[in-house]
Amino acid sequence: MSVKYPLVDEITNPEFSHHSWLTNCLWIFSLATWMSSMVVKVAINGYGTIGKRVADAIDAQDDMEIIGVTKTRPSFGCDLAVRKGYPLYCTYDSEEKIAAFGPAGYDCKGGLSDLLSVADIVVDCSPGKVGAQNKEIYQNAGVKWIFQGGEKHAMTGMSYTSSGNHAENMNVEGTRVVSCNTTGLSRTLVPLLHACGSLSVECTMIRRAADPGDSSKGPINAIKPVLKVPSHHGPDVMTIRPEIEINSMAVAVPTTIMHVHAIVATLPDGHGMSTESVLELWAQQPRVLIMNGAETGITTTAEVMEFSRDIGRKWGDLHEIFVWEDGVKLDGNTLYYFQAIHQESDVIPENVDAVRALLGIETDWKASVKKTDEAIAAYNGL
Ligand code: NAD
């Protein structure tokens, strides 16, 4: 496309006709309108732990923008949306619920339908299992949709991790960014699958009892086994890469800051890998952080989180999966390792990449990951 812009000396030249100047202004206006129409308009339905983080990660990108976030009622989370300048909507279309925001001092722009009417895509960050009831609303509004890991694969029909199946998600109507645990498993297992051709995995998820902002979950003084065996976490990886044979068990423990995975993977005969080459493989992957516990003093999840705060990550988040170098050992065909997952944040950049996949913006997952992560770092001044 060739566009003639008015040069400064043309505009200041008295010979420059008013008509040409106007024509060029119109050209510039059309170009700006066309460029802004290329920016994906993203709605966030459910501005809680995940929603507020996804909103900022989207806001950091130059190819997408937040056009509104929803809250169910006027509570303290609305203040953050106001401070960020995100238009605030009510999760529901009820006139009464929308009207409740005004007396509390919030300018509520309308209900969910109003928000969807100006959106290209909605990221549903409602509590687990609640999102399913919203799917029909999104479909009727004609917007693309992304659910979170609290929803079932059977409901969405597609699941997503950046490293696992970005290509399969290109241009689809909707998907589910899998849970924090499944995302973490995918980050380290998918590269191993590519390197070895096949994988069989048994793992135990040692799960945090509640997020730091939760006051209603537990246990606070017990270790609680998840008695549904195998747990859903391992098999959920197979919604991304069915070639990985995987089972898992889970226990909840009284901590709020991270999950830890204890993983035993069986590599195929003739895999040709060593402990060092496995570490080298992971070191080349985006969003995988490998550190030596003995050398750094980072031997527990407490120090991992302190490290994240020290390096200035917003909310103390860690988007990367943390692997202890000295906790990795390949013995014959059996690979043992531990990894730590910051449950509130590893899925955040994946939601950004998923938007690019669904809107058909970027086919190369590594290019999307690079763009996402660099933009988030710059946004947070890191
Ligand atoms: P949250 O409870 O912190 O936030 C949910 C938000 O949705 C709240 O603001 C709530 O008011 C709002 N909401 C309630 N009903 C709604 C409805 N009908 N429609 C839209 N919004 C509604 O929950 P969260 O931890 O942010 O979890 C959101 C999703 O992300 C869940 O599917 C969860 O499984 C998944 N997830 C959570 C974590 C985590 O550690 N917190 C990690 C990965 C994935």
Side-chain angles (χ1 to χ4, degrees):
M1 182 170 56
S2 130
V3 180
K4 183 182 183 301
Y5 299 98
L7 301 172
V8 173
D9 55 351
E10 275 184 320
I11 295 170
T12 51
N13 182 344
E15 301 294 313
F16 184 70
S17 82
H18 189 61
H19 176 261
S20 311
W21 187 83
L22 265 179
T23 308
N24 281 309
C25 278
L26 278 173
W27 263 110
I28 292 170
F29 177 73
S30 317
L31 181 70
T33 309
W34 176 77
M35 283 173 72
S36 78
S37 73
M38 302 307 289
V39 173
V40 179
K41 295 180 168 44
V42 184
I44 304 288
N45 191 20
Y47 193 63
T49 306
I50 297 297
K52 66 184 175 186
R53 288 171 165 83
V54 173
D56 279 12
I58 299 276
D59 193 40
Q61 313 299 317
D62 63 9
D63 52 354
M64 48 191 88
E65 65 175 328
I66 292 294
I67 46 106
V69 304
T70 72
K71 288 297 290 178
T72 53
R73 63 185 184 89
S75 59
F76 78 96
C78 298
D79 294 324
L80 181 60
V82 171
R83 270 206 308 282
K84 296 293 307 184
Y86 302 144
L88 184 62
Y89 289 80
C90 178
T91 309
Y92 309 103
D93 286 336
S94 145
E95 288 300 329
E96 194 188 339
K97 288 188 168 152
I98 295 169
F101 285 78
Y106 301 112
D107 173 22
C108 179
K109 307 281 184 206
L112 179 61
S113 299
D114 298 310
L115 175 57
L116 296 178
S117 71
V118 290
D120 298 317
I121 185 165
V122 55
V123 184
D124 185 297
C125 301
S126 61
K129 301 184 182 65
V130 169
Q133 71 199 34
N134 293 333
K135 183 177 164 189
E136 202 179 328
I137 301 174
Y138 303 150
Q139 288 180 317
N140 290 340
V143 296
K144 296 204 168 197
W145 37 269
I146 295 174
F147 285 100
Q148 305 304 309
E151 308 304 323
K152 294 206 178 317
H153 176 79
M155 187 272 283
T156 57
M158 281 299 287
S159 291
Y160 180 90
T161 69
S162 307
S163 64
N165 64 347
H166 184 86
E168 286 86 336
N169 277 271
M170 289 298 292
N171 298 302
V172 300
E173 179 198 4
T175 196
R176 173 186 72 127
V177 169
V178 293
S179 74
C180 49
N181 281 307
T182 307
T183 298
L185 290 168
S186 176
R187 292 253 181 95
T188 47
L189 291 177
V190 169
L192 272 178
L193 174 72
H194 288 156
C196 300
S198 67
L199 267 187
S200 164
V201 182
E202 298 289 339
C203 51
T204 303
M205 318 275 100
I206 301 151
R207 298 179 46 226
R208 60 89 178 95
D211 285 339
D214 282 340
S215 58
S216 59
K217 293 185 185 155
I220 59 167
N221 71 340
I223 296 172
K224 183 180 177 187
V226 175
L227 297 175
K228 182 182 173 299
V229 286
S231 73
H232 70 88
H233 310 91
D236 214 20
V237 174
M238 296 167 79
T239 64
I240 301 293
R241 297 306 294 254
E243 313 95 300
I244 300 176
E245 280 176 43
I246 175 165
N247 270 313
S248 60
M249 295 175 82
V251 291
V253 296
T255 181
T256 61
I257 50 180
M258 293 190 99
H259 305 304
V260 166
H261 298 168
I263 301 174
V264 182
T266 306
L267 278 43
D269 287 340
H271 54 75
M273 307 286 287
S274 61
T275 302
E276 292 69 31
S277 67
V278 169
L279 284 164
E280 181 57 31
L281 176 71
W282 286 334
Q284 290 162 10
Q285 306 306 315
R287 300 179 188 157
V288 176
L289 181 63
I290 303 168
M291 293 180 88
N292 188 293
E295 286 171 11
T296 60
I298 300 179
T299 54
T300 76
T301 53
E303 288 100 18
V304 176
M305 286 286 89
E306 189 65 4
F307 167 78
S308 303
R309 290 188 284 266
D310 284 352
I311 59 175
R313 294 293 177 85
K314 193 166 184 188
W315 288 294
D317 286 353
L318 189 67
H319 293 171
E320 297 89 341
I321 304 309
F322 187 97
V323 177
W324 279 277
E325 183 183 36
D326 33 354
V328 180
K329 183 160 174 68
L330 180 60
D331 186 4
N333 288 357
T334 310
L335 175 68
Y336 303 89
Y337 67 104
F338 293 107
Q339 60 181 20
I341 311 296
H342 185 231
Q343 78 279 355
E344 295 173 286
S345 72
D346 69 335
V347 299
I348 303 307
E350 310 263 325
N351 274 275
V352 177
D353 299 328
V355 170
R356 287 205 185 93
L358 266 57
L359 272 292
I361 297 172
E362 176 57 72
T363 49
D364 177 352
W365 74 271
K366 281 195 171 164
S368 179
V369 164
K370 186 167 184 293
K371 184 173 172 67
T372 299
D373 293 356
E374 286 179 359
I376 292 172
Y379 186 78
N380 293 326
L382 300 173

mmCIF file of all heavy atoms in Angstrom, residues 148-168:
data_model
loop_
_atom_site.group_PDB
_atom_site.id
_atom_site.type_symbol
_atom_site.label_atom_id
_atom_site.label_comp_id
_atom_site.label_asym_id
_atom_site.label_seq_id
_atom_site.Cartn_x
_atom_site.Cartn_y
_atom_site.Cartn_z
ATOM 1 N N GLN A 148 -9.922 -21.210 31.161
ATOM 2 C CA GLN A 148 -8.738 -21.565 31.962
ATOM 3 C C GLN A 148 -8.808 -23.028 32.376
ATOM 4 O O GLN A 148 -9.788 -23.727 32.119
ATOM 5 C CB GLN A 148 -8.631 -20.649 33.177
ATOM 6 C CG GLN A 148 -8.611 -19.172 32.848
ATOM 7 C CD GLN A 148 -7.504 -18.781 31.877
ATOM 8 O OE1 GLN A 148 -6.340 -19.132 32.095
ATOM 9 N NE2 GLN A 148 -7.846 -18.081 30.808
ATOM 10 N N GLY A 149 -7.775 -23.444 33.098
ATOM 11 C CA GLY A 149 -7.610 -24.857 33.433
ATOM 12 C C GLY A 149 -8.637 -25.431 34.383
ATOM 13 O O GLY A 149 -8.701 -26.657 34.544
ATOM 14 N N GLY A 150 -9.456 -24.574 35.010
ATOM 15 C CA GLY A 150 -10.509 -25.075 35.889
ATOM 16 C C GLY A 150 -11.675 -25.671 35.113
ATOM 17 O O GLY A 150 -12.563 -26.285 35.695
ATOM 18 N N GLU A 151 -11.673 -25.464 33.786
ATOM 19 C CA GLU A 151 -12.732 -26.045 32.940
ATOM 20 C C GLU A 151 -12.219 -27.346 32.316
ATOM 21 O O GLU A 151 -11.029 -27.589 32.239
ATOM 22 C CB GLU A 151 -13.120 -25.052 31.824
ATOM 23 C CG GLU A 151 -13.459 -23.658 32.319
ATOM 24 C CD GLU A 151 -14.571 -23.632 33.349
ATOM 25 O OE1 GLU A 151 -15.511 -24.431 33.219
ATOM 26 O OE2 GLU A 151 -14.479 -22.823 34.296
ATOM 27 N N LYS A 152 -13.161 -28.144 31.851
ATOM 28 C CA LYS A 152 -12.783 -29.449 31.305
ATOM 29 C C LYS A 152 -12.502 -29.361 29.802
ATOM 30 O O LYS A 152 -13.153 -28.614 29.079
ATOM 31 C CB LYS A 152 -13.927 -30.440 31.544
ATOM 32 C CG LYS A 152 -14.169 -30.758 33.022
ATOM 33 C CD LYS A 152 -14.805 -32.118 33.187
ATOM 34 C CE LYS A 152 -15.018 -32.517 34.627
ATOM 35 N NZ LYS A 152 -13.938 -32.242 35.541
ATOM 36 N N HIS A 153 -11.575 -30.207 29.357
ATOM 37 C CA HIS A 153 -11.257 -30.281 27.927
ATOM 38 C C HIS A 153 -12.505 -30.665 27.125
ATOM 39 O O HIS A 153 -12.708 -30.181 26.010
ATOM 40 C CB HIS A 153 -10.144 -31.314 27.707
ATOM 41 C CG HIS A 153 -9.802 -31.527 26.263
ATOM 42 N ND1 HIS A 153 -9.003 -30.660 25.541
ATOM 43 C CD2 HIS A 153 -10.165 -32.506 25.391
ATOM 44 C CE1 HIS A 153 -8.882 -31.093 24.294
ATOM 45 N NE2 HIS A 153 -9.580 -32.211 24.178
ATOM 46 N N ALA A 154 -13.339 -31.533 27.725
ATOM 47 C CA ALA A 154 -14.539 -31.987 27.000
ATOM 48 C C ALA A 154 -15.454 -30.811 26.662
ATOM 49 O O ALA A 154 -16.161 -30.838 25.654
ATOM 50 C CB ALA A 154 -15.290 -33.007 27.840
ATOM 51 N N MET A 155 -15.427 -29.763 27.486
ATOM 52 C CA MET A 155 -16.296 -28.608 27.248
ATOM 53 C C MET A 155 -15.747 -27.745 26.103
ATOM 54 O O MET A 155 -16.492 -27.243 25.275
ATOM 55 C CB MET A 155 -16.400 -27.789 28.546
ATOM 56 C CG MET A 155 -17.391 -26.649 28.519
ATOM 57 S SD MET A 155 -16.721 -25.099 27.923
ATOM 58 C CE MET A 155 -15.780 -24.525 29.329
ATOM 59 N N THR A 156 -14.421 -27.589 26.055
ATOM 60 C CA THR A 156 -13.842 -26.685 25.053
ATOM 61 C C THR A 156 -13.480 -27.419 23.753
ATOM 62 O O THR A 156 -13.433 -26.805 22.694
ATOM 63 C CB THR A 156 -12.573 -26.002 25.602
ATOM 64 O OG1 THR A 156 -11.634 -27.021 25.993
ATOM 65 C CG2 THR A 156 -12.881 -25.131 26.803
ATOM 66 N N GLY A 157 -13.162 -28.706 23.871
ATOM 67 C CA GLY A 157 -12.784 -29.468 22.680
ATOM 68 C C GLY A 157 -11.362 -29.193 22.214
ATOM 69 O O GLY A 157 -10.816 -29.926 21.389
ATOM 70 N N MET A 158 -10.745 -28.126 22.714
ATOM 71 C CA MET A 158 -9.355 -27.796 22.390
ATOM 72 C C MET A 158 -8.674 -27.358 23.682
ATOM 73 O O MET A 158 -9.325 -26.775 24.551
ATOM 74 C CB MET A 158 -9.258 -26.609 21.423
ATOM 75 C CG MET A 158 -9.508 -26.893 19.971
ATOM 76 S SD MET A 158 -8.345 -28.065 19.258
ATOM 77 C CE MET A 158 -6.851 -27.099 19.118
ATOM 78 N N SER A 159 -7.392 -27.674 23.814
ATOM 79 C CA SER A 159 -6.604 -27.169 24.938
ATOM 80 C C SER A 159 -5.327 -26.574 24.381
ATOM 81 O O SER A 159 -4.990 -26.811 23.212
ATOM 82 C CB SER A 159 -6.305 -28.292 25.931
ATOM 83 O OG SER A 159 -7.493 -28.679 26.589
ATOM 84 N N TYR A 160 -4.621 -25.811 25.217
ATOM 85 C CA TYR A 160 -3.488 -25.044 24.695
ATOM 86 C C TYR A 160 -2.332 -24.963 25.679
ATOM 87 O O TYR A 160 -2.547 -24.723 26.873
ATOM 88 C CB TYR A 160 -3.943 -23.603 24.384
ATOM 89 C CG TYR A 160 -2.840 -22.722 23.841
ATOM 90 C CD1 TYR A 160 -2.601 -22.642 22.476
ATOM 91 C CD2 TYR A 160 -2.012 -21.994 24.699
ATOM 92 C CE1 TYR A 160 -1.577 -21.848 21.970
ATOM 93 C CE2 TYR A 160 -0.988 -21.193 24.202
ATOM 94 C CZ TYR A 160 -0.776 -21.127 22.835
ATOM 95 O OH TYR A 160 0.236 -20.352 22.332
ATOM 96 N N THR A 161 -1.109 -25.204 25.183
ATOM 97 C CA THR A 161 0.091 -24.654 25.813
ATOM 98 C C THR A 161 0.966 -24.118 24.679
ATOM 99 O O THR A 161 0.926 -24.645 23.557
ATOM 100 C CB THR A 161 0.915 -25.667 26.650
ATOM 101 O OG1 THR A 161 1.529 -26.617 25.789
ATOM 102 C CG2 THR A 161 0.081 -26.364 27.719
ATOM 103 N N SER A 162 1.746 -23.089 24.971
ATOM 104 C CA SER A 162 2.540 -22.457 23.917
ATOM 105 C C SER A 162 3.510 -23.445 23.293
ATOM 106 O O SER A 162 3.637 -23.524 22.068
ATOM 107 C CB SER A 162 3.305 -21.255 24.485
ATOM 108 O OG SER A 162 2.428 -20.388 25.154
ATOM 109 N N SER A 163 4.201 -24.230 24.133
ATOM 110 C CA SER A 163 5.220 -25.134 23.603
ATOM 111 C C SER A 163 4.614 -26.420 23.049
ATOM 112 O O SER A 163 5.242 -27.119 22.270
ATOM 113 C CB SER A 163 6.227 -25.499 24.702
ATOM 114 O OG SER A 163 5.575 -26.214 25.738
ATOM 115 N N GLY A 164 3.373 -26.725 23.464
ATOM 116 C CA GLY A 164 2.822 -28.038 23.125
ATOM 117 C C GLY A 164 2.047 -28.118 21.831
ATOM 118 O O GLY A 164 2.233 -29.053 21.042
ATOM 119 N N ASN A 165 1.154 -27.136 21.578
ATOM 120 C CA ASN A 165 0.271 -27.280 20.409
ATOM 121 C C ASN A 165 -0.264 -25.943 19.895
ATOM 122 O O ASN A 165 -1.447 -25.825 19.575
ATOM 123 C CB ASN A 165 -0.891 -28.238 20.739
ATOM 124 C CG ASN A 165 -1.790 -27.688 21.825
ATOM 125 O OD1 ASN A 165 -1.445 -26.730 22.505
ATOM 126 N ND2 ASN A 165 -2.966 -28.291 21.975
ATOM 127 N N HIS A 166 0.625 -24.954 19.820
ATOM 128 C CA HIS A 166 0.236 -23.631 19.291
ATOM 129 C C HIS A 166 -0.349 -23.783 17.877
ATOM 130 O O HIS A 166 -1.405 -23.223 17.574
ATOM 131 C CB HIS A 166 1.475 -22.731 19.279
ATOM 132 C CG HIS A 166 1.236 -21.322 18.859
ATOM 133 N ND1 HIS A 166 0.840 -20.322 19.725
ATOM 134 C CD2 HIS A 166 1.344 -20.720 17.641
ATOM 135 C CE1 HIS A 166 0.725 -19.175 19.078
ATOM 136 N NE2 HIS A 166 1.026 -19.387 17.803
ATOM 137 N N ALA A 167 0.328 -24.569 17.047
ATOM 138 C CA ALA A 167 -0.088 -24.683 15.634
ATOM 139 C C ALA A 167 -1.501 -25.237 15.510
ATOM 140 O O ALA A 167 -2.299 -24.752 14.700
ATOM 141 C CB ALA A 167 0.899 -25.569 14.871
ATOM 142 N N GLU A 168 -1.838 -26.235 16.324
ATOM 143 C CA GLU A 168 -3.178 -26.850 16.246
ATOM 144 C C GLU A 168 -4.267 -25.854 16.650
ATOM 145 O O GLU A 168 -5.432 -26.036 16.328
ATOM 146 C CB GLU A 168 -3.274 -28.081 17.164
ATOM 147 C CG GLU A 168 -2.536 -29.306 16.661
ATOM 148 C CD GLU A 168 -1.073 -29.316 17.063
ATOM 149 O OE1 GLU A 168 -0.489 -28.233 17.315
ATOM 150 O OE2 GLU A 168 -0.483 -30.405 17.109
#
